[in-house]
Amino acid sequence: MPFSTGIHPYFTVANKQQLVFDLPSTQFQAKDDETIQTFSGQFDFEQDEIDVAFFNLSKSSAVVNDLSRKLKLTFEWDNRYSTLVFWTVKGKEFYCLEPWSSPRNALNTGKSLMSAKPGETIETFVKISADLG
């Protein structure tokens, strides 16, 4: 059975301009756009929606610091996760950072799918740690 997995957690943020990102890739692709773009370390939060997928991940972790709350979130995942998605909507006090095991539309393209044989168990992990200070 081919499949992929990912998580879709929401994180509260009052001021997105106070977010500092340490992401494991400098290349991303926006949803419904074939163009590969370079990530400068900042997002343009004036856009109505940001929905981008990072690929060619250099490590299995990412960090987001919310300077206004002095909150550091650390994300870790196993090597089956090949894509990291960032999503937010203008005017809403949230963002999502989502490790995915396959890129968008993978069930149709077959790219980076995992496969389980009958009776087989496949385990993955995603860990999110929060530090104040």
Side-chain angles (χ1 to χ4, degrees):
M1 176 182 78
F3 70 98
S4 65
T5 183
I7 64 170
H8 186 60
Y10 285 67
F11 301 96
T12 300
V13 60
N15 183 351
K16 294 175 193 171
Q17 300 297 336
Q18 292 292 304
L19 296 176
V20 177
F21 300 91
D22 179 8
L23 304 182
S25 180
T26 58
Q27 295 182 318
F28 69 86
Q29 190 172 18
K31 184 178 179 182
D32 300 324
D33 184 349
E34 296 293 321
T35 308
I36 305 301
Q37 299 179 45
T38 301
F39 181 60
S40 66
Q42 297 288 328
F43 292 103
D44 176 7
F45 292 114
E46 292 304 312
Q47 297 178 69
D48 289 338
E49 178 181 34
I50 301 170
D51 189 349
V52 298
F54 291 88
F55 51 92
N56 294 331
L57 304 181
S58 62
K59 58 186 177 180
S60 297
S61 64
V63 175
V64 181
N65 281 290
D66 183 342
L67 300 179
S68 64
R69 293 171 48 196
K70 295 184 170 88
L71 173 65
K72 175 183 175 183
L73 294 179
T74 302
F75 301 77
E76 299 172 276
W77 53 85
D78 70 44
N79 63 4
R80 288 189 170 101
Y81 291 86
S82 63
T83 304
L84 184 64
V85 173
F86 179 82
W87 178 63
T88 192
V89 177
K90 184 178 179 179
K92 302 292 183 179
E93 293 186 343
F94 76 86
Y95 70 93
C96 300
L97 193 62
E98 312 169 9
W100 292 5
S101 65
S102 301
R104 296 181 201 278
N105 200 30
L107 288 176
N108 290 316
T109 66
K111 186 173 181 180
S112 298
L113 289 176
M114 291 187 271
S115 185
K117 297 175 184 165
E120 180 181 18
T121 299
I122 296 178
E123 294 182 16
T124 65
F125 77 87
V126 174
K127 177 182 173 184
I128 304 170
S129 305
D131 296 307
L132 293 171

